[in-house]
Amino acid sequence: MQPDAAEPESQLRSLQMTVVALILGVVVFAAIAATLGPLGTPFEPLAAGLDPIAIVATLLTISCAAMSFVVPGRLVGAISSDDPARKLAAYRNGKIVAVALLEGPALLWCVALLLGGNRWFLAPIAVLLVLMAAHFPTREAVREATGLRAGLD
């Protein structure tokens, strides 16, 4: 174990950097896709004017967005111990999973944008980025979720 790994402040900083990195990965890929796309031929619309990849991405977006707000609380709530360090670890894992659940559909929308060139696909990407940012960990959120008071200054 690293010497400062047990310090809540360092764990919070590490988690914040991880969330920002996941967000920036989507931003960079979306910018590249918007600049380079379309690399393929536009998809044939199936239902409601949406092409197959947009239908899959829409269903994935809805399910993953819902799960991203349920999973973190369940991970922290599953810790039966009152040990704040264990709750902090569960909180960290939950936040990473929540943001990753949103990153998947965002990257799929980026691929759809890159292949088909439909600029409307930037809208769900933007919504997913906002949802990812909503999971940004703050000191107050860590205190509330873990009951940890000391070490978060």
Side-chain angles (χ1 to χ4, degrees):
M1 190 185 244
Q2 299 170 348
D4 62 337
E7 292 184 28
E9 183 66 29
S10 106
Q11 289 190 25
L12 175 62
R13 286 281 172 223
S14 172
L15 178 58
Q16 288 173 334
M17 288 186 280
T18 301
V19 170
V20 168
L22 291 169
I23 291 171
L24 288 177
V26 173
V27 169
V28 169
F29 190 23
I32 291 169
T35 304
L36 294 180
L39 294 182
T41 58
F43 298 103
E44 292 295 321
L46 292 180
L50 293 175
D51 55 58
I53 198 167
I55 293 169
V56 170
T58 300
L59 295 173
L60 189 64
T61 297
I62 293 167
S63 61
C64 286
M67 288 189 317
S68 77
F69 287 95
V70 173
V71 170
R74 301 208 31 136
L75 284 175
V76 174
I79 301 295
S80 59
S81 169
D82 286 335
D83 180 17
R86 289 191 65 194
K87 286 192 174 187
L88 180 59
Y91 178 82
R92 276 181 21 157
N93 293 341
K95 283 296 179 181
I96 292 170
V97 168
V99 177
L101 279 168
L102 296 167
E103 182 189 33
L107 293 174
L108 180 57
W109 282 109
C110 290
V111 168
L113 174 63
L114 183 64
L115 294 177
N118 187 343
R119 299 281 186 207
W120 285 105
F121 292 168
L122 289 170
I125 294 169
V127 169
L128 286 162
L129 285 169
V130 168
L131 292 175
M132 289 170 80
H135 284 290
F136 187 79
T138 62
R139 283 182 186 83
E140 207 43 53
V142 171
R143 286 184 185 117
E144 183 180 320
T146 64
L148 192 64
R149 300 286 179 239
L152 288 172
D153 297 324

